[in-house]
Amino acid sequence: MGKPRNKRSLLMASASTGLLSGLVLATHAGAAQDEQTNVQNLPPVEVTAPPPATVRRVAPPRPVARVGAPSSASPRTRLYVYPTSPGTGRGIEVDKVPSAINAVDASQIKRTGSLNVTDALRDNIAGINITEVTGNPFQPDVEFRGFVASPVTGTPQGLAVYQNGVRINEAFSDAVNWDLIPTAAIRSVTLVTNNPAFGLNALGGAINLQMKDGFTYQGAEIDMMGGSFGRIQGSAQWGKQVDKNYGVYAALEGLHDNGFRNFSQSDVRRFYGDVGYKAGDSEFHANMGIAKNDFGASATVPAELLDKYWGATYTTPQTTSNRVGYLNLTGKVDATPTWTLEGTAHVRRYEQKLVDGNPTDVQECAIAGLLCFGDDTTPANGTNGAQLVNPYPSGTILGEIDRSTIRSTSFGVSGQATNTDQLFGHDNRFVMGATYDAGVTRYNATAEIGSIGENYVVSGSGVFLGATGTPDPIAGPVSLRTVNQYNGLYAMDTFNVTDAFAITGGGRFNVARITLEDQLGTALNGDHTFTRFNPVIGGTYKITPELTAYAGYSEANRVPTPLELGCSDPARPCLIAAFLVSDPPLKQVVSKTVEAGLRGTRELNIGSLGWKIGGFRATNHDDIVAIPVPGRTGFGYFSNVGRTRRQGFEAEVNIKSPTFQFQASYAFVDARFLDALTIGSNSPFADADGNIQVSPGNQLPAIPRHRVKIGIDYAVTDVWKVGGNALFVSSQYPVGDESNQYAKLPSYTVFNLHTSYQVTKNIQLYGRVDNIFDRRYASYGQFFDREALPNFTNGGAEFTDPRSLSPARPRAFYAGMRVTF
């Protein structure tokens, strides 16, 4: 790394997805340190600026990063770049990006004290809201501008997520398992909007994770923390640059948490490693990761049970087991001073096992001793096709334990070329690339008949439900093989009309083929192909050196997932995320987005000031939603529901200095249906058929309109820091109230505090208090079937409150120690 310098060099900050030819400046301390980032939270690399061109029409050599360049070397320049494509190379200058800029750095992630990156996204990006739909803090829904990236199988996904240039939305349902992401190894996160180059699911944007490697992180760190609800967690990371050509990095994380709810324990185990090689203008990396995680209590709870006990659960067991292993290869070569070639190859193996206790449509028949389905005359069959005999005494409350497994193997390759030759004597940046991703999934599901006790625990009988229903089965075991093949071809060009004005144009052509092969019959067989070209156009204008205006328009699409295609017949609904029964076609969702805004930076006496304000409008055509079937717990189907619209604006201001950091933001999201429709619901306002009427202008549920965030950190002394943050989220309609007839879930405000003390250069003690006022609130709600089970806490009477809620974590105390080497 060379000798430490007394004067800070000029830096080039980058938020691209991985391979960067540059040097991260070391601090004077020999211990591992987080990178210093600019006011926009972008991490730095050192670059050598080109000499000024004497003739404008001659393309100057591109800035080249050098390792350990002496202070007397060529002058350096400061640029801030942002990803504009899923490739692994350097992005474009921030001032040329015709969309909002959202970034989170490693220090902000560390400040949360969490092994879940979504906590840092919630605290630091204005438009993001977190809801614990599963009831577990390590499997949250991330909602941005009304679009969701969720781990819940069956949730329509509207955000793409990339890790080191590889899309990690799971093959079967496009779900995003946040618990599988190695948080300690994250270098930075950017949320790219209004850009179709990121492919499928980027309706609301793409969350782009850039990971650490041996060139960007040197040293070692051990972090241990414990606290409320039996929380014990630890992480260790180590990075080293060997000579000038090799870099090695590894991170290991582990966590156990008993949870505040019954049966809500969590165990997280993750490893990530990277080996890199750099020579001249070329750089290559191999990185891999594995994870083995287990979670409990993955469901909402009737509000009346929460009134009795905040840690209540409803119909257990509810467990999730996630396993993943992946290997990524990336390479970048500067073929000429103006051409950069990049490529990636990846393979990923993912397994998920769900065990879910539920009410059941199996009931006693009119003929004593036999079981029926849906009524007292339709036989409930076993796996051998014969009608089931009731294994319990008459009058036993019946339930079922639904088990499902997903085993996916996905692989893909991508290539990208970037050219920075001048065009007509003006600076120009042209990017073109191609991607191919494929995934093979085997999905299986079974249902075991059980009994439900007064603690809502479902105990299995060993009797399994077979193909049941006439004339066609509507329940029973499922065995399905699916094949996804996604192809993409994209091109983007940014042309500098003047030094202040730049225009961007381009697009991406997507081809998706999804094949379903029923392993037990033919009902699920299907072969679907979707194509779409998504354009983008935009521009930026640098009004002053500290103020930039931007505007842009783009289109994006997502295709129906194998899960949605396998459960889309309203005449034959399925137990969503468990039993698939039919395969009629669905249309792909197309989103058309426009956004515009202003952003600026300024150096003040107290630090660097950054601010931004912008508005957006996204209209989805043929949007897909999950529609429940009233009176049949858990059953539903997926359907296109016409047009929906999400619009709003975001404003943020932050100040960053060595001793003081402040951030405040406000986001407004207005999400509505644009077309009338009739859908099923467990709403108390549903008609005799269990339907509600949705009118144009009704708000989409589970999307709060207002989000306010404030955070502050202050260095009281050189070794003692204190800080805190506050979060306000406004009221929202519960899921199932698409007609907006029921009362909204109340708004909530949460305050958190944290502090740290640097005992020595290498040892830091820290602590935090979450939800310091112990506010009891629900971040998510939905309607449930009140007649499915009695309210055992009220003498077995029927539930009267139709809401089932996801309770937020009570006040919690944590303390830890961080040691660096």
Side-chain angles (χ1 to χ4, degrees), residues 605-684:
N605 291 333
I606 59 174
S608 299
L609 168 70
W611 64 271
K612 59 186 177 181
I613 184 170
F616 65 92
R617 169 178 283 193
T619 302
N620 281 11
H621 299 259
D622 298 314
D623 213 351
I624 296 176
V625 300
I627 299 176
V629 173
R632 300 188 62 188
T633 301
F635 277 79
Y637 60 95
F638 297 93
S639 177
N640 295 111
V641 295
R643 297 173 300 150
T644 60
R645 176 172 292 161
R646 296 152 177 86
Q647 60 185 356
F649 66 90
E650 300 149 352
E652 179 180 323
V653 60
N654 60 79
I655 297 173
K656 198 169 188 178
S657 76
T659 59
F660 177 73
Q661 295 186 43
F662 172 80
Q663 178 177 333
S665 67
Y666 169 74
F668 171 74
V669 180
D670 179 58
R672 299 180 183 272
F673 293 96
L674 297 184
D675 294 320
L677 66 147
T678 300
I679 59 175
S681 173
N682 286 308
S683 168

Side-chain angles (χ1 to χ4, degrees), residues 358-382:
N358 285 305
T360 183
D361 281 320
V362 174
Q363 62 185 65
E364 296 182 44
C365 294
I367 301 175
L370 297 178
L371 293 179
C372 288
F373 189 88
D375 53 43
D376 60 3
T377 59
T378 302
N381 299 327

Side-chain angles (χ1 to χ4, degrees), residues 11 15 45 131 209 283 378 423 435 472-473 488 542 596 621 663 723 775 792:
L11 302 173
V45 295
T131 56
L209 302 165
E283 188 172 343
T378 302
L423 183 64
T435 64
D472 298 314
K542 201 170 184 64
H621 299 259
Q663 178 177 333
R775 177 71 184 273
F792 294 121

